[in-house]
Amino acid sequence: MAAKFKKESGTTLTDFILKEKVEEAKRLLRYTDKTTTAIAAYLGFSSQSHFTKVFQKYAEKTPTEYRKLHNK
C-alpha cells in the first residue's frame, strides 16, 4: 500500500502525514493560544522536541518563530 501511495502521489505516506500535521500545526499556531507542547501532544508527536524538529523541516522555521511571524 505504501509503495502504491508513493507511486501515485510522488511522496511517501510518512512525508504526506507529517506535512499534513505541520499544516494543522500552522493553523493552530496562528489561530489559537495553545502552547507548542499542547499542539505537539494534540497532533500525536512523541515529544515537543520531535514536533519542533519535524515542524522546522517542513516549515523552515521553529513553531515559535512561525507564531511570532504570523501573530503581529
Side-chain angles (χ1 to χ4, degrees), residues 32-61:
T32 74
D33 59 359
K34 287 180 187 278
T35 64
T36 55
T37 304
I39 292 170
Y42 174 74
L43 294 174
F45 286 92
S46 57
S47 67
Q48 183 181 347
S49 62
H50 182 235
F51 166 64
T52 299
K53 192 169 153 182
V54 169
F55 189 94
Q56 196 162 16
K57 176 181 177 183
Y58 292 101
E60 299 178 348
K61 299 176 178 37

Side-chain angles (χ1 to χ4, degrees), residues 2 4 8 23 25 44 50 60 72:
K4 184 175 181 179
E8 292 184 9
E23 289 305 312
H50 182 235
E60 299 178 348
K72 291 187 176 180

